Amino acid sequence: MSRDTTSEHLRAELKNLADTLEEVLTTSGEKSKTELDKLRSKAQSALKDTRARLGDSGDRIAQTTREAADRADVYVRDNPWTSVGIGAAIGVVLGVLLTRR
């Protein structure tokens, strides 16, 4: 599943959760106990589903971050002087940007 597809699914899940919670909050005074129990159950189910999706996305993001960090570590070990040069260049650029303020 691509990152855009995952983002769209999360947006849809969050919108569904928000709509359900809004329905519970706006109609609580007009509904019978049975209807309120159904709405509460629907809201709990939407919350559970959203939490599960967010957890899955967080795991994927953590895995991607670990992989990127591992690749960066390998690159630095294989090319130490290039890495020092890149770090120095970034330091110079930051120094110039900070002194302009």
Side-chain angles (χ1 to χ4, degrees):
M1 190 179 294
S2 72
R3 184 176 290 164
D4 291 337
T5 305
T6 302
S7 296
E8 288 301 316
H9 283 284
L10 286 175
R11 279 192 202 107
E13 286 290 327
L14 291 173
K15 183 181 182 325
N16 181 34
L17 177 61
D19 292 345
T20 302
L21 292 176
E22 183 177 12
E23 182 181 0
V24 169
L25 292 173
T26 58
T27 61
S28 62
E30 305 165 5
K31 301 283 184 179
S32 69
K33 180 168 176 19
T34 304
E35 291 172 324
L36 284 175
D37 288 342
K38 287 179 186 176
L39 282 174
R40 183 177 292 123
S41 176
K42 181 180 175 184
Q44 287 173 339
S45 176
L47 181 59
K48 181 181 170 185
D49 291 345
T50 301
R51 281 184 176 162
R53 286 212 191 259
L54 288 174
D56 292 344
S57 295
D59 293 343
R60 275 188 245 122
I61 290 169
Q63 179 63 29
T64 302
T65 302
R66 279 192 294 274
E67 290 171 1
D70 290 343
R71 284 193 300 267
D73 185 52
V74 168
Y75 180 83
V76 169
R77 288 177 192 271
D78 292 344
N79 305 294
W81 288 110
T82 303
S83 302
V84 168
I86 292 171
I90 291 172
V92 168
V93 169
L94 288 175
V96 168
L97 291 174
L98 291 174
T99 57
R100 286 187 177 182
R101 289 183 176 202

